């Protein structure tokens, strides 16, 4: 019989208490140095209190130029790790599995936060030159002055070192899952997609070349991540650019077993973000789940589905019907930090979750 939403999930030697994950969501709430603040502690802490199995940080930059905005979280120094450690510890105390998304924003870095318009920040406004596989800025590829530099081999070697150092710090800060962010048009996705990767060295060209960096970084992160703890990789299954040569669901299906081979335990299947011309066919319930299913057909790795999951019955059905191993819930967690506890009530599974003892009188316990 298939599992349900409240069945624990064991990955390696790590057991997650249920199949709900808080999707990584940028909060743009750091002071200008990338250190976690009270906001992050409260935001992630309340979702851990709310019953989710995995609570994942927002995209956490492995080096300063990898931030989308100057207010993004970072993990490029021990001070950053020290600021994150209490968050990981609190999540564990609450029974959740703390996870961190390791990220580099590539050509989509150096912007204002969304509430200030996500505008490109120029150097005299505190912005910086962005890095990408090819010198094509985003969103206007022929922008002048050019704000995006093609990465050299030295840059690529440095990037790998930064990912490894970030993973080591995250491990020492107490995180139990590391997720490599290779989705949404950020740096690693930019290497995967022919839309953004026009390199003619071994990190570009054919499928093997374009996937090399993601495979290498996953392998190197796996190399420093404890054997008993999981590594996830978030991918964009498709560029949603059907009219041009681009990254497709079939490419993702081909990549997934290669990621598993180098140590990824779960592929977190999202989509889009590489180019403003993308055509999103639907953004309704489960809109990306078919991609997760296609990926799952091609790999033994676990698969997480994300996108338009808002209802307890819907999340439960995804697990029961073997459509995904993990229901990854984003915006609904912004509306309801207690999504999982509320889901348990609705699904008549109240005895399978723990309300905080401080709150039990509110639920008749
Ligand atoms: C405010 C906000 C911030 C986000 N930041 C990130 C991020 O840091 N990393 C990431 O991989 N996805 C990010 N996303 C995408 C979500 O993780 C998720 O994939 C997307 O919202 C679709 O899921 P949903 O329909 O449940 O919201 C963000 C989404 C929102 C709404």
């Amino acid at each position: 019989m298939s599992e349900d939403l409240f069945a624990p999930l064991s990955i390696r030697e790590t057991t997650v208490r249920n199949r709900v994950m808080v999707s990584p969501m940028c909060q743009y709430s750091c002071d200008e140095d990338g250190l976690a603040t009270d906001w992050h502690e409260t935001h992630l802490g309340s979702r851990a209190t709310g019953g989710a199995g995995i609570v994942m940080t927002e995209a956490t930059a492995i080096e300063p130029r990898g931030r989308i905005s100057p207010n993004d979280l970072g993990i490029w120094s021990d001070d950053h790790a020290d600021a994150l450690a209490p968050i990981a510890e609190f999540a564990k105390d609450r029974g959740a599995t703390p996870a961190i998304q390791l990220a580099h924003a590539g050509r989509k870095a150096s912007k204002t936060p969304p509430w200030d318009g996500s505008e490109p920040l120029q150097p005299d406004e505190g912005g910086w030159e962005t890095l990408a596989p090819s010198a094509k800025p985003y969103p206007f590829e022929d922008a002048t002055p050019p704000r995006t530099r093609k990465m050299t081999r030295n840059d690529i070697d440095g990037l790998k070192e930064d990912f490894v150092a970030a993973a080591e710090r995250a491990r020492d800060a107490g995180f139990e899952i590391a997720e490599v962010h290779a989705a949404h048009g950020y740096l690693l996705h930019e290497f995967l997609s022919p839309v953004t990767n026009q390199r003619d060295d071994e990190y570009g060209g054919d499928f093997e070349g374009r996937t090399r960096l993601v495979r290498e970084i996953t392998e190197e992160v796996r190399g420093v991540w404890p054997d008993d703890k999981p590594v996830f990789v978030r991918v964009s299954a498709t560029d949603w650019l059907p009219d041009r040569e681009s990254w497709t669901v079939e490419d993702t299906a081909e990549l997934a077993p290669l990621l598993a081979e180098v140590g990824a335990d779960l592929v977190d299947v999202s989509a889009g973000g590489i180019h403003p011309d993308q055509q999103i066919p639907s953004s309704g319930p489960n809109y990306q789940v078919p991609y997760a299913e296609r990926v799952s057909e091609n790999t033994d790795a676990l698969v997480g589905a994300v996108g338009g999951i808002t209802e307890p019955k819907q999340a439960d059905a995804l697990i029961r019907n073997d459509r995904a191993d993990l229901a990854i819930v984003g915006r609904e967690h912004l509306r309801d930090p207690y999504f999982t506890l509320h889901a348990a009530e609705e699904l008549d599974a109240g005895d399978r979750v723990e309300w905080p003892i401080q709150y039990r009188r509110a639920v008749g316990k």
Side-chain angles (χ1 to χ4, degrees), residues 197-240:
N197 186 342
Q198 266 109 49
R199 298 180 75 89
D200 53 15
D201 64 2
E202 66 265 52
Y203 288 96
D206 59 8
F207 176 88
E208 194 188 348
R210 284 181 282 109
T211 61
R212 186 180 313 282
L213 186 59
V214 179
R215 291 184 283 112
E216 287 181 350
I217 286 177
T218 303
E219 185 167 22
E220 293 196 18
V221 167
R222 176 78 266 170
V224 297
W225 203 247
D227 280 345
D228 57 342
K229 297 197 166 69
V231 170
F232 293 1
V233 181
R234 175 166 270 201
V235 291
S236 277
T238 165
D239 287 343
W240 278 326

Side-chain angles (χ1 to χ4, degrees), residues 36-231:
T37 64
D38 292 351
W39 177 266
H40 300 93
E41 207 163 323
T42 306
H43 168 69
L44 295 166
S46 50
R47 275 120 197 112
T49 305
I54 300 171
V55 175
M56 184 164 295
T57 69
E58 68 192 68
T60 306
I62 51 119
E63 63 120 331
R65 291 171 298 178
R67 291 171 296 168
I68 301 167
S69 84
N71 307 96
D72 286 19
L73 207 51
I75 185 152
W76 62 83
S77 80
D78 292 346
D79 287 347
H80 291 89
D82 290 346
L84 286 164
I87 297 177
E89 190 182 341
F90 182 79
K92 269 186 275 193
D93 283 351
R94 297 299 338 135
T97 303
I100 185 165
Q101 189 181 50
L102 301 174
H104 193 298
R107 71 176 192 158
K108 291 174 84 175
S110 187
K111 291 192 294 188
T112 60
W115 46 80
D116 291 330
S118 297
E119 297 290 339
L121 266 177
Q122 300 305 328
D124 60 355
E125 305 165 320
W128 56 91
E129 177 185 63
T130 63
L131 297 173
S134 303
K136 296 176 74 173
Y138 180 94
F140 308 112
E141 294 193 334
D142 45 8
T144 46
R147 58 191 303 272
T148 300
R149 181 167 65 74
K150 174 181 171 180
M151 289 175 75
T152 63
R153 278 303 303 271
N154 272 349
D155 291 325
I156 290 176
D157 291 344
L159 181 82
K160 289 194 264 180
E161 285 166 19
D162 289 340
F163 262 99
V164 169
E168 288 174 324
R169 285 192 197 99
R171 174 198 67 202
D172 296 345
F175 287 96
E176 303 202 319
I177 298 172
E179 175 165 281
V180 174
H181 192 355
H184 301 166
Y186 298 114
L187 186 58
L188 297 183
H189 182 187
E190 289 159 22
F191 272 85
L192 291 174
S193 174
V195 172
T196 37
N197 186 342
Q198 266 109 49
R199 298 180 75 89
D200 53 15
D201 64 2
E202 66 265 52
Y203 288 96
D206 59 8
F207 176 88
E208 194 188 348
R210 284 181 282 109
T211 61
R212 186 180 313 282
L213 186 59
V214 179
R215 291 184 283 112
E216 287 181 350
I217 286 177
T218 303
E219 185 167 22
E220 293 196 18
V221 167
R222 176 78 266 170
V224 297
W225 203 247
D227 280 345
D228 57 342
K229 297 197 166 69
V231 170

Side-chain angles (χ1 to χ4, degrees), residues 23-26 58-59 101 181 184 234 287 306-308 329-331:
S23 204
M25 284 181 285
C26 285
E58 68 192 68
Q101 189 181 50
H181 192 355
H184 301 166
R234 175 166 270 201
Y287 66 99
V306 64
V329 177
R331 287 162 294 174

